[in-house]
């Protein structure tokens, strides 16, 4: 029946919503550690970060059930590795976030700031890793070509 179908749809929506909120909560916990410890996270901060990173939801992106859950998953790991000063791994998760945004043109169009910030973060990490060719060549035209394509 259509009522049963609606109930099933509602249950799936709520499941995805709760899942997304859990990822956002994990990210917010990481940001609290960052705000207390600063960018030069000390031993206590690293211990808290390690404990937080062991959450079962963070073991595999496939556990993220929606766009936003995947977005928060990648943002969590980007910041986690950045705080650990592992810029190479951090840039991997920024790239995944950029690719995710590019797969959802409606979200990209409604909130281009997330995209621009992600590109700037990636360029900054390339610069910090002294990957100057990547800073100027690989993503030099990304903003104009991909964003224009999706508008």
């Amino acid at each position: 029946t259509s009522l049963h179908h609606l109930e099933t749809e509602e249950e799936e929506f709520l499941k995805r919503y709760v899942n997304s909120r859990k990822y956002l909560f994990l990210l917010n916990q990481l940001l609290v550690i960052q705000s207390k410890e600063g960018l030069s996270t000390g031993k206590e901060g690293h211990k808290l970060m390690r404990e937080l990173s062991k959450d079962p939801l963070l073991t595999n992106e496939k556990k993220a059930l929606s766009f936003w859950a995947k977005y928060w998953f990648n943002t969590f790991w980007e910041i986690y590795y950045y705080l650990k000063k592992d810029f190479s791994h951090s840039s991997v998760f920024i790239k995944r976030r950029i690719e995710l945004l590019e797969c959802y043109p409606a979200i990209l169009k409604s909130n281009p700031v997330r995209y621009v910030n992600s590109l700037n973060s990636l360029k900054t990490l390339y610069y910090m890793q002294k990957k100057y060719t990547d800073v100027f060549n690989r993503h030099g035209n990304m903003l104009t070509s991909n964003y224009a394509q999706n508008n």
Side-chain angles (χ1 to χ4, degrees):
T1 66
S2 62
L3 187 57
H4 179 69
H5 178 72
L6 285 174
E7 184 179 1
T8 303
E9 273 188 39
E10 181 182 34
E11 287 173 3
E12 282 301 310
F13 171 80
L14 290 173
K15 183 178 174 182
R16 287 190 309 272
Y17 177 77
V18 168
N19 177 262
S20 176
R21 299 303 296 175
K22 287 179 180 178
Y23 280 100
L24 182 57
F25 181 72
L26 289 165
L27 173 60
N28 285 333
Q29 287 181 293
L30 182 63
L31 294 174
V32 166
I33 293 169
Q34 177 189 1
S35 69
K36 286 182 178 178
E37 297 282 327
L39 293 179
S40 58
T41 306
K43 287 182 182 179
E44 182 62 26
H46 280 290
K47 179 182 173 199
L48 293 170
M49 286 170 43
R50 249 188 329 278
E51 290 171 11
L52 188 59
S53 72
K54 292 178 183 176
D55 188 287
L57 285 175
L58 295 169
T59 59
N60 190 326
E61 187 177 4
K62 290 180 182 177
K63 294 181 180 185
L65 304 178
S66 67
F67 167 86
W68 287 110
K70 291 175 185 177
Y71 186 89
W72 303 132
F73 173 89
N74 286 297
T75 303
F76 176 93
W77 287 113
E78 170 210 341
I79 293 170
Y80 177 87
Y81 285 117
Y82 183 85
L83 292 173
K84 292 183 64 111
K85 296 179 178 35
D86 183 344
F87 304 130
S88 179
H89 277 98
S90 184
S91 62
V92 166
F93 288 97
I94 293 174
K95 285 188 234 178
R96 287 185 187 173
R97 193 173 67 210
I98 290 168
E99 291 167 0
L100 180 66
L101 284 164
E102 289 173 345
C103 288
Y104 290 85
I107 293 173
L108 182 64
K109 188 174 184 176
S110 69
N111 197 339
V113 171
R114 289 185 192 278
Y115 186 66
V116 172
N117 287 343
S118 297
L119 289 173
N120 285 334
S121 295
L122 183 59
K123 286 185 175 193
T124 299
L125 284 175
Y126 281 154
Y127 182 79
M128 293 170 79
Q129 296 173 77
K130 299 183 188 280
K131 293 184 176 182
Y132 304 116
T133 304
D134 290 336
V135 171
F136 295 110
N137 292 334
R138 187 179 299 174
H139 297 284
N141 295 323
M142 184 184 281
L143 179 61
T144 54
S145 63
N146 289 333
Y147 183 70
Q149 201 174 38
N150 290 315
N151 278 320

